[in-house]
Amino acid sequence: MAATPKPKARRTRAEQRAATIKLILDTSEGLFAQLGYFGVTIKDVADKMGIHPALIHYYFNGKKELFDAVFDRRMEFAISTRTAGLDAYEAEVGERPTIEGALRAYYDEAFDVYINDDEGWRNFGRIFAQVNNAPGYGAEKMDTYFDPLVLRLISLLSKALPDAEPEDLFWSFQFTSGAYTLILSQTGRIDRLSDNLCASDDFEAARDRFVTFMAGGFDALYKSRKGKSGRGSKRVRPKAG
């Protein structure tokens, strides 16, 4: 006689609440990634879920709080991944970092969540790109989460290039950060330009080339500026984050 299947245990109220919030955040993440912050309303999210907007307002006090929750929930992992990469690299090289080594410690593992083809992270990548390129509110979010890590990276780069002008290191990082978030945006433009030889969602191909290219830029700028006098501001060593 076949065993009678056990009835599924009913979820607790806390579990139901957690599942509802996750569904709201997942749905919002996809819409914000596609349409941007200003292109999405609470009603859009509710319509996508097939629920009444009042349910979203029950959990989130307006669109800004909802957007913050979408962004903030992935930050702990993003920060811990880069911190671990920098920790491991500094433990390995001590006071003798290289440009490419420092950039790899900061960026290589950050690509992994996108390479693994997780739709949620790929949506978040587009949102991250929006925030990183937005003045005001966006800049404040990046300041809050990433300034200590960026300053730590700059400190490593200053050890790799001890006589480089600090402003050149900061400008080089600015160029690198912009290129990184363009990749995360997955605009599809490189697909069209290359007649599909390249794909904007091919994060593995991007990672394989990104750091080598950027390290070359750091080095080229350093060499072009070396020996020039009276062009830069007074040297101040960048502080560690």
Side-chain angles (χ1 to χ4, degrees), residues 127-150:
I127 295 171
F128 185 89
Q130 295 169 24
V131 170
N132 191 46
N133 289 283
Y137 170 72
E140 291 169 4
K141 296 289 279 187
M142 299 305 294
D143 292 348
T144 298
Y145 284 109
F146 277 93
D147 274 12
L149 276 176
V150 172

Side-chain angles (χ1 to χ4, degrees), residues 111-122 186 201 203:
F111 275 107
D112 284 350
V113 289
Y114 306 110
I115 290 172
N116 292 335
D117 203 27
D118 181 286
E119 182 182 4
W121 272 101
R122 292 194 171 204
Q186 306 162 70
D201 62 354
F203 288 102

Side-chain angles (χ1 to χ4, degrees), residues 143-237:
D143 292 348
T144 298
Y145 284 109
F146 277 93
D147 274 12
L149 276 176
V150 172
L151 291 174
R152 186 176 174 187
L153 174 62
I154 295 292
S155 181
L156 277 172
L157 293 167
S158 72
K159 292 177 182 178
L161 297 172
D163 56 342
E165 293 291 340
E167 61 267 35
D168 289 337
L169 296 178
F170 283 104
W171 274 117
S172 295
F173 173 78
Q174 178 85 339
F175 304 148
T176 303
S177 178
Y180 175 71
T181 52
L182 176 60
I183 293 168
L184 297 188
S185 296
Q186 306 162 70
T187 64
R189 185 163 185 246
I190 193 173
D191 311 51
R192 298 185 293 274
L193 284 170
S194 68
D195 195 21
N196 294 316
L197 182 64
C198 306
S200 63
D201 62 354
D202 188 349
F203 288 102
E204 189 165 7
R207 185 184 64 179
D208 289 347
R209 295 161 174 81
F210 181 79
V211 166
T212 301
F213 183 86
M214 291 302 164
F218 271 82
D219 188 58
L221 179 60
Y222 165 71
K223 289 177 179 177
S224 72
R225 304 273 290 171
K226 189 176 181 180
K228 293 181 180 180
S229 59
R231 293 282 302 277
S233 60
K234 185 177 179 180
R235 285 179 59 81
V236 178
R237 300 309 305 167

